[in-house]
Amino acid sequence: MSDTYDQLETRSPDRREAELFAALPAQIAHAKANAPYFTRLLADVDPAAVGDRTALSTLPITRKSDLIALQRDAPPFGGMTTIAIGRLARVFASPGPIHDPEAHGTDPWRTARALYASGIRGGDLVQNCFAYHLTPAGSMFETGAHALGCAVIPAGVGNTEMQAQVAAHLKPRAYIGTPDFLKIILEKGDELGLDLSSIAIGHLTGGPFLPDARAYYEGRGIAAYQSYGTADLGLVAYETPARAGLVVEEGVIVEIVRPGTGDPVPAGEVGEVVVTTFNQAYPLVRFATGDLSAVLPGESPCGRTNMRLKGWMGRADQTTKVKGMFVHPQQIAEVLRRHPQIGKARLVVGRQDANDTMTLRCESPESGEALAASVRETLAAVTKLKGVVEFAAPGSLPNDGKVIEDARA
């Protein structure tokens, strides 16, 4: 068994599930009582009844894509926080703009667990190359490193030559930042004739960690690991030495749902990542990130027993304009709701004779013109656009999380 951050990581899955859902009703009650947005959203919800995943899946979704409007209409945080803004530790502004709160306390974003899994330990010096101005990533990882007992170089972004010179002089053991910027620093060090060999670990996030970058760092003797999180939630999942997907963080509940809905998909099917946190100041309940992923079967070979995600697999918001009108994944979900004999559907938007076309491909054990005509009628009623309906065998549509595929050249 590998070295783990604490005993939570090796709990039996049944014990973890029981402990998380034993704590969840109190968190939902806290959100409902103290955050005005959730007071309204969960008005008809009995927190004591939300004791398992089935019950959780009935609660309404809050989408990240809605935060801009929610915060504009109810500043500063859309009514989602439980404490006054002046009692927070930090307040951030991410692109959008979306404003993010950070509460006081040790490791408020829970990143220490991911840094530990990367091999970073107390007493290490780390060069943190995430931004410290307005956006939260710099603080997010500095607080995690401090929780481990590390010293931090608050390097931020840019100033590549100075970054290389600082690393050569101070000799940090680890880099924290985006996957591509470490390579830029190393190459600048090579150009300047600097020794940057002290960097043995890279903790990478904020962008795709592609195979060529992984091979580059391996070639330089750097063990690089990735994690996944958001500015709203903090850490969601992280890579371990097993290199077998991303292990879900112990302080969140993750669901994978069909894009455009709050309905959980079968295990292994690609869908949207939805997260519920136990953050007392910002108690997000069923927060839809807009990111696609899938659950990997089994447990990690490293000995950690929590759910594993395959990794970031694209965006769930597939809204597409057809003949001048927007078509949303939620609309395709509504078509399926009205035709329960259809298990899964994919709207393919094409182009023919200078006109947009729509074909709704449906997995269904049933077929025939009568059903096709009924589905066409529903599609037109929901989207205000006409389309063709085709049937496919159950399990034949691609497992990529796409509800709307724009196939126009």
Side-chain angles (χ1 to χ4, degrees):
M1 183 176 293
S2 70
D3 189 16
T4 54
Y5 182 62
D6 58 26
Q7 294 181 346
L8 295 178
E9 296 180 0
T10 55
R11 290 179 288 179
S12 73
D14 288 345
R15 179 183 171 191
R16 176 181 293 106
E17 196 82 347
E19 291 176 348
L20 286 173
F21 281 93
L24 183 60
Q27 175 71 355
I28 293 175
H30 169 67
K32 184 175 178 178
N34 298 293
Y37 170 82
F38 288 110
T39 301
R40 297 189 300 271
L41 186 71
L42 305 176
D44 298 327
V45 173
D46 176 8
V50 188
D52 57 30
R53 288 184 181 271
T54 300
L56 179 62
S57 71
T58 66
L59 271 55
I61 291 282
T62 296
R63 298 195 176 281
K64 182 180 176 75
S65 57
D66 294 335
L67 287 185
I68 296 173
L70 289 169
Q71 293 187 356
R72 180 193 63 222
D73 295 342
F77 303 113
M80 295 184 187
T81 53
T82 63
I83 59 177
I85 190 169
R87 296 193 176 277
L88 293 166
R90 296 181 179 89
V91 178
F92 301 99
S94 297
I98 295 174
H99 297 89
D100 304 297
E102 178 186 302
H104 289 277
T106 301
D107 194 21
W109 305 92
R110 310 174 317 282
T111 60
R113 188 179 302 282
L115 298 178
Y116 191 91
S118 298
I120 297 172
R121 298 291 184 268
D124 286 343
L125 175 65
V126 301
Q127 187 155 333
N128 184 8
C129 293
F130 277 118
Y132 277 78
H133 298 106
L134 290 180
T135 56
S139 178
M140 190 178 291
F141 285 96
E142 178 170 289
T143 52
H146 284 166
L148 291 179
C150 299
V152 177
I153 304 169
V157 297
N159 300 311
T160 308
E161 183 169 328
M162 189 172 187
Q163 296 255 17
Q165 291 171 340
V166 166
H169 182 74
L170 296 179
K171 302 193 180 307
R173 181 167 180 260
Y175 160 95
I176 300 171
T178 58
D180 56 343
F181 192 48
L182 174 56
K183 182 173 185 288
I184 293 171
I185 293 173
L186 294 172
E187 289 175 341
K188 176 58 70 171
D190 293 343
E191 177 187 325
L192 298 174
L194 301 174
D195 179 10
L196 303 185
S197 61
S198 69
I199 301 176
I201 296 171
H203 187 86
L204 315 175
T205 189
F209 185 24
L210 301 175
D212 59 342
R214 191 182 290 272
Y216 174 83
Y217 296 134
E218 288 177 353
R220 295 194 67 131
I222 297 172
Y225 298 85
Q226 62 182 318
S227 63
Y228 164 64
T230 76
D232 326 274
L233 299 161
L235 179 68
V236 174
Y238 58 98
E239 190 174 20
T240 78
R243 309 287 190 182
L246 304 181
V247 176
V248 170
E249 204 274 319
E250 296 295 327
V252 297
I253 297 173
V254 171
E255 304 169 86
I256 306 295
V257 308
R258 186 157 285 116
T261 78
D263 303 329
V265 301
E269 185 172 321
V270 177
E272 184 174 9
V273 178
V274 170
V275 181
T276 297
T277 78
F278 290 85
N279 185 331
Q280 291 290 293
Y282 197 32
L284 297 176
V285 177
R286 298 205 84 204
F287 184 77
T289 63
D291 295 323
L292 294 175
S293 194
V295 174
L296 290 173
E299 298 174 3
S300 173
C302 71
R304 293 170 177 85
T305 57
N306 207 345
M307 174 193 295
R308 292 179 299 148
L309 301 181
K310 192 171 183 179
W312 186 83
M313 301 177 69
R315 293 292 296 168
D317 184 4
Q318 299 153 25
T319 299
T320 304
K321 186 174 281 190
V322 183
K323 297 181 180 179
M325 296 182 65
F326 284 109
V327 180
H328 305 272
Q330 294 93 321
Q331 293 173 306
I332 307 308
E334 176 60 20
V335 173
L336 267 64
R337 189 188 68 80
R338 299 187 190 184
H339 298 275
Q341 62 269 65
I342 299 173
K344 184 178 177 181
R346 184 187 189 98
L347 184 72
V348 181
V349 180
R351 191 83 172 162
Q352 185 175 3
D353 299 328
N355 292 310
D356 292 338
T357 64
M358 295 197 317
T359 301
L360 186 65
R361 302 195 65 217
C362 305
E363 288 188 2
S364 174
E366 303 179 27
S367 59
E369 179 54 30
L371 178 58
S374 178
V375 176
R376 283 197 301 270
E377 182 179 344
T378 303
L379 180 64
V382 172
T383 66
K384 313 304 179 188
L385 295 164
K386 293 182 179 180
V388 174
V389 172
E390 295 179 353
F391 294 105
S396 61
L397 294 181
N399 179 24
D400 56 10
K402 284 190 177 180
V403 175
I404 300 176
E405 176 188 351
D406 191 345
R408 292 171 291 193

